[in-house]
């Protein structure tokens, strides 16, 4: 167990011991998490190659169906896993990874991401770009059909994108992924009934004009907001997503909220039907490891409680163990800079500095995560190894809390700080700073940390963070939980004072993190953070053609953001441990959400 900076400033080894013991008694499937979906942007360094799963074990799973007649020798069988209830299956409304992981299998778009993380043609078999980089002409395949057999045309794409941008649709992400298109903002604002930057040249040719040459635009079209939907299906009723008429490799044939979702093979899929007959998602909960060992599911994540067991080479489960590359993601605590007390930068910085992330990663999370001090994850384009983050410094944290607006003007706090500056005894200095911080913290308004969920408990790492704030700063925080869909709705309306969440890359470009999450006009700027210099840097980077210059601009913006602390970065995900039944073949583990279920096949048992 790592020690704290000073043994006089301790979180309490007894507390850590209790939490670690608790960690050894839980765990479960990591089927989904809040945030967003995928892409590879030309001009950046190649990304890591995803891991293909060969799995060699004789463990049993649910019996596959008989192979489907036809030319595919691998066809047949069902794949089953635990999953979370998606907040939506409407591509226009998709803003989280749970929904996106399903949507990319039901629907499709002009372009897509393959399992090697390259942008590839999808319904558009090719495209041209004008010399100024502003006009894209997409040539659509002529063999694409909706699930019901109706042909897909350029008119369907124009309808779908304009529907996403229509204010009546109430998409919270339309302006993030489609706002580069000329005329998109006018439709979003309700001042236009169509988008003049989207033109149908003929049934199979679509032209899209954007406001400036942007190197990441094509990648943004891989997000569900640009996917094609069937107008007749959408306008059939409020519950149309219960039977979506998509174009993807799988048809959703059943969705019982809180119970299960069932996909079946789309025999009409233009890139060839999937091998599997069906995919079953269990939504009713359960202990992933127990269900896996009982052969109820074919895939599960490995929680803290089971890491040591599955890593043991003598353990039978070890033969099913696979290591997935880390997601391009970050988990964080957001601080609403427009609400007290987080409108005070010193309070935000104090909370950052009071967290010993190294200790939590080691003693509580078994080093399955990497402490985060910046925004962009390791290995991601623009990641800055030289970024100066706010590292653990409890004395500085106490001083900042005392010097904040909640301590200014208090003669007792002023005297305590003066005495702390004058003493040469380190124990006495810590005691004085602690007293000064506690007095300032007593003036803070009630702080509520909002988290998604409904189980009444928060993550072990969050429990330790809250204890560190209480011990070091005298700051008490209350927890408020809400169901995930409700949480996302309130988050988009900036109703939270403090919240915990994660963000997963949609495409490997720094714009997907820094611009989308911190530009003052972004709808995904849930902290209300505003800095004109950051806006200027981000706007300049949008159209900068030189890769090195773009990266430098993003890194400048990131350093300012980190210094001003609208976020408390917590963790970058480490390698993920998963179990996959040995008869499941070609399940590809990738750091981004990509369509991949089509490629799975089952070997006879």
């Amino acid at each position: 167990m790592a020690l704290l900076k000073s043994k006089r400033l301790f979180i309490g080894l007894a507390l850590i011991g209790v939490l670690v013991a608790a960690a050894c008694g839980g765990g479960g499937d990591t089927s989904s998490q809040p945030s967003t979906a995928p892409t590879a942007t030309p001009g950046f360094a190649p990304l890591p190659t995803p891991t293909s799963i060969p799995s060699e074990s004789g463990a049993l799973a649910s019996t596959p169906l008989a192979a489907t007649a036809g030319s595919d020798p691998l066809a047949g069988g069902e794949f089953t896993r635990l999953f979370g209830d998606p907040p939506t299956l409407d591509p226009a409304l998709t803003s989280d990874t749970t929904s996106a992981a399903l949507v990319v299998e039901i629907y499709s778009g002009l372009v897509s991401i393959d399992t090697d993380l390259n942008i590839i043609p999808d319904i558009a078999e090719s495209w041209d770009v004008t010399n100024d980089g502003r006009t894209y002409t997409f040539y659509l395949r002529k063999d694409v059909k909706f699930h019901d057999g109706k042909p897909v045309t350029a008119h369907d794409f124009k309808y779908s994108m304009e529907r996403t941008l229509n204010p009546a649709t109430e998409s919270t992400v339309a302006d993030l992924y489609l706002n580069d298109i000329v005329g998109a903002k006018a439709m979003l604002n309700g001042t236009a009934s169509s988008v003049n930057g989207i033109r149908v040249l003929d049934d199979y040719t679509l032209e899209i004009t954007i406001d400036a040459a942007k190197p990441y635009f094509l990648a943004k079209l891989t997000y569900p907001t640009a996917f094609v939907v069937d107008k007749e299906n959408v306008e059939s009723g409020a519950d149309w997503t219960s039977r979506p008429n998509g174009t993807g490799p799988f048809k959703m044939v059943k969705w019982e909220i809180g119970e299960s979702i069932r996909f079946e093979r789309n025999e009409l899929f233009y890139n060839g039907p999937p091998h599997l007959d069906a995919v079953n998602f269990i939504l009713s909960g359960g202990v992933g490891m127990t269900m896996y060992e009982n052969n109820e599911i074919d895939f599960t994540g490995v929680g803290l409680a089971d890491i040591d067991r599955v890593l043991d080479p003598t353990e039978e489960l070890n033969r099913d163990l696979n290591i997935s590359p880390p997601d391009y993601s970050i988990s964080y605590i957001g601080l609403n800079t427009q609400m007290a007390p987080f409108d005070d930068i010193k309070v935000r910085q104090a909370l950052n500095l009071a967290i010993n992330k190294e200790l939590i990663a080691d003693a509580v999370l078994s080093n399955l995560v990497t402490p985060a001090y910046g925004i962009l994850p390791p290995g991601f384009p623009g990641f800055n190894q030289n970024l100066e983050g706010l590292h653990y410094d409890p004395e500085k944290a106490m001083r900042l809390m005392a010097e904040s607006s909640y301590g200014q003007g208090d003669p007792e706090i002023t005297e305590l700080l003066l005495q702390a500056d004058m003493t040469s005894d380190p124990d006495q200095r810590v005691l004085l700073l602690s007293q000064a911080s506690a007095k300032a913290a007593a003036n803070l308004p009630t702080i509520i940390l909002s988290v998604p969920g409904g189980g009444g408990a928060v993550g072990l790492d969050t429990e330790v963070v809250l204890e560190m704030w209480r011990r070091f700063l005298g700051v008490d925080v209350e927890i408020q939980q809400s169901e995930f869909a409700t949480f996302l709705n309130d988050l988009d309306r900036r109703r939270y004072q403090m919240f915990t969440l994660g963000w997963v890359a949609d495409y490997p470009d720094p714009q997907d993190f820094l611009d989308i999450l911190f530009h003052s006009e972004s709808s995904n700027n849930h902290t209300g953070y505003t800095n004109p210099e950051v806006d200027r840097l981000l706007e300049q980077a949008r159209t900068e053609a030189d890769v090195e210059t773009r990266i430098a601009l993003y890194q400048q913006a990131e350093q300012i953001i980190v210094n001003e602390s609208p976020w408390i970065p917590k963790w970058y995900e480490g390698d993920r441990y998963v179990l996959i039944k040995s008869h499941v073949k070609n399940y590809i583990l990738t750091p981004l959400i990509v369509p991949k279920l089509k490629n799975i096949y089952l070997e006879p048992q």
Side-chain angles (χ1 to χ4, degrees):
M1 179 181 295
L3 296 177
L4 297 175
K5 181 178 178 182
S6 166
K7 62 183 178 182
R8 294 179 296 277
L9 298 173
F10 64 99
I11 185 63
L13 299 185
L15 171 68
I16 295 293
V18 169
L19 293 176
V20 172
C24 295
D29 185 22
T30 54
S31 61
S32 58
Q33 59 183 324
S35 251
T36 75
T39 321
T41 302
F44 288 122
L47 297 169
T49 301
T51 305
S52 180
I53 304 304
S55 268
E56 298 178 359
S57 169
L60 299 175
S62 53
T63 305
L65 302 175
T68 302
S71 59
D72 183 359
L74 304 178
E78 300 191 13
F79 176 80
T80 302
R81 63 164 296 178
L82 276 175
F83 210 70
D85 245 320
T88 183
L89 288 180
D90 183 343
L93 304 182
T94 298
S95 64
D96 64 285
T97 54
T98 307
S99 301
L102 301 176
V103 165
V104 298
E105 304 289 351
I106 302 172
Y107 308 89
S108 47
L110 294 167
V111 290
S112 185
I113 301 292
D114 65 15
T115 52
D116 292 321
L117 308 183
N118 300 307
I119 298 178
I120 58 171
D122 197 2
I123 293 178
E125 60 185 355
S126 63
W127 55 87
D128 297 327
V129 186
T130 53
N131 291 337
D132 63 2
R134 292 187 55 212
T135 300
Y136 292 74
T137 303
F138 296 93
Y139 304 98
L140 276 56
R141 298 174 57 134
K142 297 180 180 179
D143 59 346
V144 180
K145 295 179 174 60
F146 287 107
H147 291 159
D148 67 355
K150 185 189 311 178
V152 175
T153 71
H155 298 278
D156 295 307
F157 271 101
K158 181 173 174 63
Y159 163 77
S160 300
M161 292 186 193
E162 290 184 340
R163 171 184 174 267
T164 299
L165 290 163
N166 190 325
T169 304
E170 297 184 343
S171 171
T172 61
V173 288
D175 63 325
L176 298 179
Y177 298 98
L178 300 179
N179 66 344
D180 306 301
I181 301 174
V182 172
K185 292 180 181 178
M187 190 163 188
L188 277 169
N189 295 334
T191 59
S193 59
S194 63
V195 180
N196 55 22
I198 303 175
R199 296 178 59 221
V200 174
L201 302 187
D202 59 46
D203 283 351
Y204 295 99
T205 310
L206 184 74
E207 181 185 273
I208 298 180
T209 302
I210 58 177
D211 54 13
K214 296 177 179 178
Y216 50 82
F217 174 70
L218 198 62
K220 292 172 79 172
L221 294 182
T222 66
Y223 196 71
T225 46
F227 286 3
V228 66
V229 295
D230 173 25
K231 179 179 180 180
E232 185 178 356
N233 179 219
V234 170
E235 297 179 355
S236 64
D239 64 342
W240 69 273
T241 54
S242 65
R243 277 299 178 95
N245 189 29
T247 53
F250 287 93
K251 300 182 290 185
M252 191 184 76
V253 298
K254 182 180 74 172
W255 180 10
E256 295 179 352
I257 296 175
E259 294 296 328
S260 65
I261 288 176
R262 180 177 173 85
F263 285 177
E264 291 185 355
R265 176 195 293 118
N266 173 20
E267 297 285 0
L268 302 176
F269 189 56
Y270 47 92
N271 278 325
H275 304 303
L276 293 169
D277 287 327
V279 180
N280 299 301
F281 301 91
I282 298 173
L283 311 179
S284 54
V287 179
M289 286 295 294
T290 301
M291 297 176 73
Y292 186 86
E293 292 184 86
N294 290 339
N295 298 318
E296 298 174 65
I297 56 177
D298 301 309
F299 173 101
T300 187
V302 180
L304 284 174
D306 298 292
I307 288 294
D308 290 340
R309 180 161 68 106
V310 300
L311 289 176
D312 182 353
T314 66
E315 166 67 40
E316 184 177 357
L317 289 174
N318 180 260
R319 290 179 293 176
D320 291 352
L321 179 64
N322 295 274
I323 301 176
S324 171
D327 281 340
Y328 292 127
S329 65
I330 183 173
S331 62
Y332 64 94
I333 296 173
L335 308 175
N336 192 327
T337 61
Q338 303 301 310
M339 288 187 185
F342 305 126
D343 52 353
D344 188 319
I345 187 174
K346 291 187 176 181
V347 173
R348 303 196 302 265
Q349 291 171 334
L351 294 179
N352 263 284
L353 293 164
I355 303 172
N356 189 336
K357 298 175 187 177
E358 307 293 335
L359 174 65
I360 298 174
D362 177 24
V364 179
L365 300 177
S366 300
N367 290 314
L368 296 177
V369 297
T370 300
Y373 297 99
I375 309 299
L376 301 177
F380 196 79
F383 175 71
N384 185 4
Q385 292 183 327
N386 300 316
L387 183 137
E388 296 179 9
L390 298 181
H391 289 257
Y392 176 61
D393 190 337
E395 288 192 28
K396 185 175 182 181
M398 294 174 187
R399 183 177 293 276
L400 284 168
M401 182 61 70
E403 292 175 347
S404 73
S405 57
Y406 297 93
Q408 287 178 357
D410 187 318
E412 286 190 57
I413 293 176
T414 301
E415 179 61 25
L416 287 167
L417 291 175
L418 181 61
Q419 291 179 28
D421 288 337
M422 294 176 62
T423 184
S424 58
D425 182 340
D427 289 328
Q428 182 65 14
R429 182 175 63 254
V430 168
L431 177 61
L432 292 166
L433 289 173
S434 177
Q435 292 173 347
S437 176
K439 284 185 176 293
N443 297 324
L444 296 176
T446 299
I447 297 176
I448 297 175
L449 174 63
S450 299
V451 300
V458 296
L460 296 172
D461 59 327
T462 300
E463 291 184 28
V464 178
V465 167
L466 299 187
E467 178 65 10
M468 287 179 172
W469 287 343
R470 187 182 69 81
R471 293 283 185 100
F472 295 155
L473 303 175
V475 173
D476 287 309
V477 175
E478 299 177 9
I479 300 293
Q480 174 181 289
Q481 287 186 313
S482 59
E483 183 267 333
F484 188 32
T486 301
F487 177 88
L488 291 177
N489 184 62
D490 289 341
L491 184 73
D492 288 332
R493 287 162 173 74
R494 295 184 184 173
R495 291 175 176 170
Y496 295 136
Q497 179 191 32
M498 172 193 277
F499 59 91
T500 183
L501 200 58
W503 181 263
V504 182
D506 304 314
Y507 42 89
D509 189 293
Q511 186 269 347
D512 186 48
F513 280 86
L514 300 174
D515 201 334
I516 284 180
L517 297 170
F518 298 102
H519 191 281
S520 63
E521 295 182 1
S522 172
S523 60
N524 261 40
N525 180 350
H526 300 130
T527 65
Y529 173 71
T530 299
N531 183 306
E533 176 62 10
V534 168
D535 283 354
R536 184 190 68 79
L537 291 167
L538 295 176
E539 290 164 11
Q540 185 178 346
R542 289 174 185 172
T543 56
E544 176 55 57
D546 182 76
V547 172
E548 290 187 5
T549 303
R550 283 191 78 225
I551 291 296
L553 291 168
Y554 282 124
Q555 290 181 345
Q556 290 177 54
E558 183 182 22
Q559 185 66 70
I560 296 171
I561 293 165
V562 168
N563 291 345
E564 297 193 339
S565 302
W567 274 17
I568 298 172
K570 293 197 301 180
W571 320 113
Y572 299 124
E573 189 174 84
D575 290 338
R576 294 169 290 163
Y577 295 89
V578 299
L579 297 176
I580 305 176
K581 294 293 184 179
S582 61
H583 67 283
V584 176
K585 302 300 179 183
N586 212 32
Y587 189 105
I588 309 297
L589 297 168
T590 64
L592 298 176
I593 294 175
V594 300
K596 58 188 177 184
L597 298 180
K598 173 184 179 295
N599 300 319
I600 298 174
Y601 66 95
L602 306 180
E603 284 191 342
Q605 300 180 66

